[in-house]
Amino acid sequence: MAKYLVIDNGGTFVKPSLMDENGEILEMLPKVPTGAINMGSIDDENAFKGKLDSVEKYLELVDGIYEPVKGQVDGIAMSFPGVNNADEGYCYSGGAFFFADGQPMGKIMTEHFGIPVTLENDGKCAALAEYWKGALKGVVNGAVIVLGTGIGGGIIINGEILRGKRFSAGEMSYMLNDVGKHEELGGFFSSDAAMGLCMATAYMKGMKPEEVDGFKVFELAKAGDPVVLGLLDKMTTDIVGQAYNMTTLMDLDLVAIGGGISREQMLIDMLVQKAEHLNEHNPNAPYSAFYPKVHIVPCAFHNEANMIGALYHHLKLRGLLKAE
């Protein structure tokens, strides 16, 4: 049985695992603090320049992960931030990994480790995981919306991940909710991310940002807090609106919602109810039996999604993907 080292590269932690060719996690390996971003003062010119600031330092970090499993794995599959040509392993942008900008990271790592190394954008990995074994399995067209620090995700069209000419398809944070507010970050879809919800809750409730996470938000919401319920109402309305627009443009079968807060059934229930209401009360319905209907479901995978999708890309690119 072939085994693979699969690494989810995040801004906070690098999370590795051993997986088999069927997408099963055999062992979660110790995660490593990334140190790519220094969250200092926004006025500090080094605010976003962490200690992990070169390709050499990154290779040294991964060396520590790879050495204990060297000789045991047939390849390394990576979920990677930023905009990249996944077929060639070239990073146009490394996202939080600034050192990767303009670097052929796949080639560099393949030569360094002596085994095949592939990488795919993290949001697209989440979509590939759901298409391979999760909520989007069997669909023709579908999308994943990941609610995290920003809003990530990926789009599946005719059974293939949509990358685009500049490999930036699916960067949903940049979609506009309100064109009248195009000069404000609050006018963009990114404001509806989990981090945006937490920050808005802290501001509206007069709390410190570090006191508010997703658990706290839904604790307040379930207790009937009108401020938080109002924020959730706006957030879920925006998400359903964007999901509807994507469904209209691309004839999507399903839109799956991911990210840590997608585990909250209250959030999923609000989204599904609003989607159903939109479908039932769409004024276009009398004029066509084929008016767009948006269908929202939760993702099947959460913390492991990026790893599963990274392995799917690795196996498919190398012609090793087993037919199911």
Side-chain angles (χ1 to χ4, degrees):
M1 178 181 67
K3 291 198 297 186
Y4 300 90
L5 175 61
V6 184
I7 301 176
D8 179 8
N9 291 278
T12 306
F13 289 101
V14 172
K15 295 173 285 188
S17 69
L18 288 177
M19 299 179 67
D20 67 19
E21 70 265 33
N22 298 313
E24 297 295 326
I25 296 176
L26 304 174
E27 181 184 358
M28 288 298 301
L29 303 175
K31 62 184 180 181
V32 181
T34 302
I37 298 178
N38 170 27
M39 295 304 288
S41 167
I42 198 166
D43 298 322
D44 180 358
E45 64 177 11
N46 295 316
F48 296 101
K49 296 178 182 177
K51 296 178 181 178
L52 192 65
D53 59 2
S54 70
V55 172
E56 291 73 24
K57 288 182 181 179
Y58 178 71
L59 292 175
E60 183 179 342
L61 183 153
V62 181
D63 276 335
I65 296 170
Y66 177 61
E67 281 301 318
V69 299
K70 187 174 182 179
Q72 303 176 39
V73 296
D74 299 272
I76 301 175
M78 291 194 173
S79 165
F80 214 79
V83 176
N84 57 66
N85 180 338
D87 288 343
E88 297 181 5
Y90 184 87
C91 293
Y92 290 94
S93 161
F97 288 10
F98 298 107
F99 63 83
D101 291 359
Q103 296 287 341
M105 292 300 295
K107 180 180 179 181
I108 290 170
M109 290 188 287
T110 294
E111 292 177 352
H112 180 81
F113 295 108
I115 58 174
V117 180
T118 59
L119 56 89
E120 174 63 286
N121 167 268
D122 45 12
K124 292 179 176 63
C125 281
L128 289 171
E130 296 297 331
Y131 178 71
W132 188 20
K133 294 183 175 291
L136 299 185
K137 185 175 182 179
V139 307
V140 175
N141 298 340
V144 167
I145 298 175
V146 180
L147 306 173
T149 303
I151 293 187
I155 300 164
I156 302 290
I157 299 294
N158 294 326
E160 297 288 339
I161 193 74
L162 181 65
R163 293 197 174 93
K165 178 181 178 181
R166 286 165 288 277
F167 309 102
S168 62
E171 294 292 324
M172 299 177 190
S173 279
Y174 301 113
M175 294 196 297
L176 271 167
N177 284 330
D178 186 345
V179 71
K181 294 182 178 179
H182 67 278
E183 296 182 356
E184 307 171 23
L185 285 175
F188 289 81
F189 197 22
S190 57
S191 64
D192 293 308
M195 185 175 75
L197 176 65
C198 293
M199 291 177 66
T201 297
Y203 175 76
M204 296 291 288
K205 297 294 293 181
M207 302 170 70
K208 295 179 181 178
E210 58 268 24
E211 295 175 341
V212 181
D213 58 12
F215 295 107
K216 185 63 178 179
V217 169
F218 282 93
E219 176 186 312
L220 292 168
K222 292 169 186 176
D225 187 289
V227 170
V228 178
L229 288 174
L231 292 172
L232 276 173
D233 181 67
K234 182 211 179 277
M235 175 190 186
T236 52
T237 296
D238 289 344
I239 292 170
V240 170
Q242 296 288 11
Y244 172 81
N245 287 336
M246 287 192 287
T247 297
T248 300
L249 289 172
M250 295 175 283
D251 191 18
L252 303 183
D253 302 311
L254 289 174
V255 177
I257 308 298
I261 65 171
S262 69
R263 295 177 184 269
E264 289 286 349
Q265 190 61 45
M266 181 180 185
L267 175 71
I268 299 300
D269 288 345
M270 291 179 73
L271 290 169
V272 170
Q273 289 166 10
K274 290 189 176 190
E276 290 176 348
H277 187 271
L278 174 58
N279 293 338
E280 293 170 5
H281 296 88
N282 192 322
N284 293 294
Y287 306 105
S288 173
F290 300 102
Y291 72 95
K293 296 181 182 179
V294 58
H295 300 288
I296 290 178
V297 298
C299 283
F301 304 111
H302 297 280
N303 294 336
E304 64 275 26
N306 289 359
M307 289 182 281
I308 294 171
L311 180 61
Y312 175 90
H313 169 68
H314 183 90
L315 296 174
K316 185 176 182 183
L317 186 64
R318 298 183 59 212
L320 300 172
L321 192 65
K322 293 183 177 180
E324 295 190 2

